[in-house]
C-alpha cells in the first residue's frame, strides 16, 4: 500500500500521542483536526482521513460533536514499518 506524505504524517502523529478528531458544527459540516499534546491543532484534509479509514488503518468512536480516531492493529503494524 502506498501512502501519501500527509497520510504517513497523520499515522506517525497518532502513534506519537496526537489525537485525531472530527468536529461537527451545528450545520453538520465536519472538520478534521490533529491535536498534539502541546501547541495548536492542525487541520487534516478529509481525503486523508477517508483513505486511512477506508484502508482499515484507523477507526473512530461515533461521538457527536467530536469523534476521536485511533490506530487499528493493522495501522499499528504499518506504523512499525514506517519508523
Amino acid at each position: 500500500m502506498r501512502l501519501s506524505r500527509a497520510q504517513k504524517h497523520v499515522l506517525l502523529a497518532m502513534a506519537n500521542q496526537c489525537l485525531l478528531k472530527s468536529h461537527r458544527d451545528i450545520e453538520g459540516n465536519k472538520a478534521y483536526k490533529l491535536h498534539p499534546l502541546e501547541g495548536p491543532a492542525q487541520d487534516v484534509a478529509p481525503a486523508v482521513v477517508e483513505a486511512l479509514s477506508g484502508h482499515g488503518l484507523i477507526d473512530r468512536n461515533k461521538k457527536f460533536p467530536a469523534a476521536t480516531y485511533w490506530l487499528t492493529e493493522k495501522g499499528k503494524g504499518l506504523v512499525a514499518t514506517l519508523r
Side-chain angles (χ1 to χ4, degrees):
M1 165 184 338
R2 286 200 85 122
L3 297 175
S4 71
R5 182 180 300 216
Q7 291 166 343
K8 288 177 187 176
H9 172 74
V10 170
L11 289 176
L12 290 170
M14 290 176 71
N16 288 315
Q17 300 183 337
C18 287
L19 293 176
L20 177 63
K21 293 188 173 205
S22 63
H23 302 271
R24 285 195 183 264
D25 63 21
I26 197 77
E27 287 88 30
N29 300 313
K30 191 184 290 186
Y32 298 96
K33 296 194 180 279
L34 195 56
H35 298 268
L37 293 176
E38 293 183 19
Q42 303 170 356
D43 291 331
V44 178
V48 170
V49 177
E50 292 163 7
L52 294 174
S53 181
H55 288 298
L57 301 173
I58 61 174
D59 200 0
R60 71 183 187 287
N61 61 19
K62 311 302 192 259
K63 302 286 183 174
F64 179 84
T68 302
Y69 290 76
W70 59 82
L71 292 171
T72 62
E73 290 303 315
K74 183 178 178 181
K76 289 176 187 176
L78 184 59
V79 165
T81 67
L82 296 175
R83 289 186 169 170

